Amino acid sequence: MGDHHRHGSSQVGRVCCCCCATVKTGSVGIVEKCGKYTDIAHPGCHWLCCCFGTTMAGFVSMRMRDLLVQTSTKTRDDVFVDIKVSVQYQVVEERVQEAFYKLTDVNKQMEAYVYDVIRSEVPQMSLDELFLSKEKIAEQVKLELGTIMRGFGYSIFATPVTDIEPDAKVKAAMNEKNKNLRLRDAAADAGEADKIKLIKKAEGDARQVEIAAAAEAQRITVTAQAEAEAKFLQGQGLARQRVAIMGGLSDACNQFIGALGEKRAVSIREVLDLQLMNQYFDTLREMSKDGKGHTVFFPSNPGGMADVASQVRNGLLQANAPGAATMQR
């Protein structure tokens, strides 16, 4: 360190042959007498008694300096990385003597200590952990380097990790991995969006079906109620029509019998037979309306007509027999 300062003395001070020395601002001079340290010369002009062996041995810069240390090491997952650490240091004013005499090359000394810290800390971390632990590594370097260099008269202000550079192939692989992860996340997001769309569409379709079913049920109910009401009214009208017809037939029969001079009333049975025959002919008329009816031959003599009435009446009585038996039980 002393040799280094002597060789670089022209940068921080100047020694004159007439025993006069000047020290520039931002540095101090080391004064020796007969080769032994005696004092520190601060910035300015100093007279030295050269006749008695007093000389300016060298100069020490008091400015903040920066040393860039680059080292290569391996992480826990066997990835080699280049790490750059910027060491910012300064000579302690009260310990200029130690800074001048104790070290020959302060830069080499600090590099060795930085290498030691980096190569003991980084192998304990994976590559991903290393990128996340830059501050931790910087603090560890500053702590250990500051403790050691304090004894040599230097103060360490900061040791930031300025760069972590893995192998080019490793960087490409990391970028590809990150790309694939992002593509996978994007695909997952797209799938989730499609899923939500399908669910919402299914819910909407189900709601539409539910509404349509409710509307159809309502329509069927209203239609059924309307048809029931119509049939009820139709039945009432038909019943009234039958009563009116039977009344008219009864009156017609009584008038006919009275015209013949017979002194008797028409029986209920005769009226019913006449009514059945009337309904029978109405049925034949309805069957022939749509044009799809078939020709049916029936006896046409009066006795045949009575037989037809008897058959219709018997059929009605037989159809009503089970219902009557159930009501009796």
Side-chain angles (χ1 to χ4, degrees):
M1 182 68 182
D3 294 340
H4 171 75
H5 283 294
R6 292 185 182 95
H7 294 162
S9 61
S10 60
Q11 299 177 0
V12 293
R14 180 175 298 173
V15 179
C16 299
C17 57
C18 59
C19 298
C20 178
T22 59
V23 180
K24 292 185 177 182
T25 301
S27 62
V28 294
I30 303 298
V31 180
E32 293 181 351
K33 184 176 182 180
C34 299
K36 181 180 179 182
Y37 169 80
T38 57
D39 197 6
I40 295 176
H42 294 282
C45 182
H46 298 271
W47 295 94
L48 303 176
C49 189
C50 301
C51 300
F52 294 95
T54 302
T55 60
M56 189 73 71
F59 302 91
V60 177
S61 175
M62 302 302 293
R63 298 176 181 176
M64 176 79 70
R65 284 176 280 179
D66 181 79
L67 173 65
L68 183 63
V69 181
Q70 181 173 345
T71 181
S72 179
T73 186
K74 184 178 71 171
T75 62
R76 189 179 63 202
D77 45 359
D78 298 328
V79 178
F80 282 91
V81 292
D82 292 329
I83 300 178
K84 295 180 181 179
V85 179
S86 176
V87 180
Q88 300 169 6
Y89 66 98
Q90 186 179 31
V91 174
V92 180
E93 188 173 359
E94 295 80 11
R95 311 193 70 173
V96 174
Q97 182 181 354
E98 289 89 339
F100 186 81
Y101 289 104
K102 283 190 175 183
L103 292 177
T104 302
D105 192 339
V106 64
N107 291 347
K108 292 291 184 183
Q109 191 71 26
M110 286 194 292
E111 285 179 358
Y113 288 123
V114 172
Y115 291 160
D116 181 65
V117 175
I118 294 295
R119 290 171 180 172
S120 63
E121 291 291 329
V122 173
Q124 302 178 25
M125 306 175 184
S126 65
L127 184 59
D128 292 336
E129 293 172 348
L130 177 60
F131 280 98
L132 297 174
S133 304
K134 292 174 62 176
E135 296 296 332
K136 177 183 177 182
I137 295 174
E139 288 296 327
Q140 191 65 26
V141 172
K142 178 182 177 183
L143 177 63
E144 297 194 20
L145 186 62
T147 302
I148 295 170
M149 296 304 295
R150 187 76 182 178
F152 296 110
Y154 289 90
S155 175
I156 307 299
F157 287 91
T159 55
V161 178
T162 59
D163 190 21
I164 298 175
E165 186 75 15
D167 184 78
K169 294 181 179 180
V170 176
K171 287 177 65 176
M174 291 176 65
N175 291 333
E176 187 67 21
K177 176 183 176 182
N178 187 52
K179 173 185 173 183
N180 293 333
L181 287 175
R182 292 182 180 276
L183 289 175
R184 186 181 67 182
D185 293 341
D189 292 341
E192 188 67 21
D194 291 340
K195 175 184 175 182
I196 294 173
K197 289 180 181 178
L198 290 175
I199 292 175
K200 293 299 183 182
K201 184 178 182 300
E203 291 177 350
D205 293 343
R207 181 61 179 167
Q208 290 180 356
V209 170
E210 181 180 355
I211 294 174
E216 182 66 16
Q218 183 68 19
R219 187 189 65 80
I220 293 173
T221 302
V222 172
T223 302
Q225 291 176 350
E227 289 179 354
E229 184 68 21
K231 290 185 180 298
F232 175 75
L233 296 175
Q234 183 180 3
Q236 285 185 335
L238 185 60
R240 292 173 181 174
Q241 180 186 11
R242 298 303 182 192
V243 170
I245 291 173
M246 291 179 67
L249 291 175
S250 178
D251 293 341
C253 289
N254 288 329
Q255 291 176 3
F256 179 73
I257 292 174
L260 294 177
E262 296 185 8
K263 303 296 183 181
R264 69 179 182 88
V266 179
S267 65
I268 296 176
R269 178 173 184 143
E270 291 173 337
V271 174
L272 289 176
D273 289 342
L274 187 58
Q275 175 67 19
L276 288 173
M277 290 305 298
N278 188 29
Q279 292 181 356
Y280 171 73
F281 287 117
D282 288 343
T283 302
L284 293 179
R285 184 174 64 253
E286 292 294 329
M287 291 174 60
S288 63
K289 279 184 178 181
D290 56 3
K292 297 181 180 180
H294 298 280
T295 303
V296 181
F297 294 95
F298 290 97
S300 60
N301 55 32
M305 292 298 102
D307 292 338
V308 171
S310 177
Q311 291 175 9
V312 173
R313 183 174 58 254
N314 291 335
L316 292 174
L317 293 175
Q318 291 176 2
N320 294 329
T326 303
M327 292 177 63
Q328 290 177 0
R329 286 198 295 268

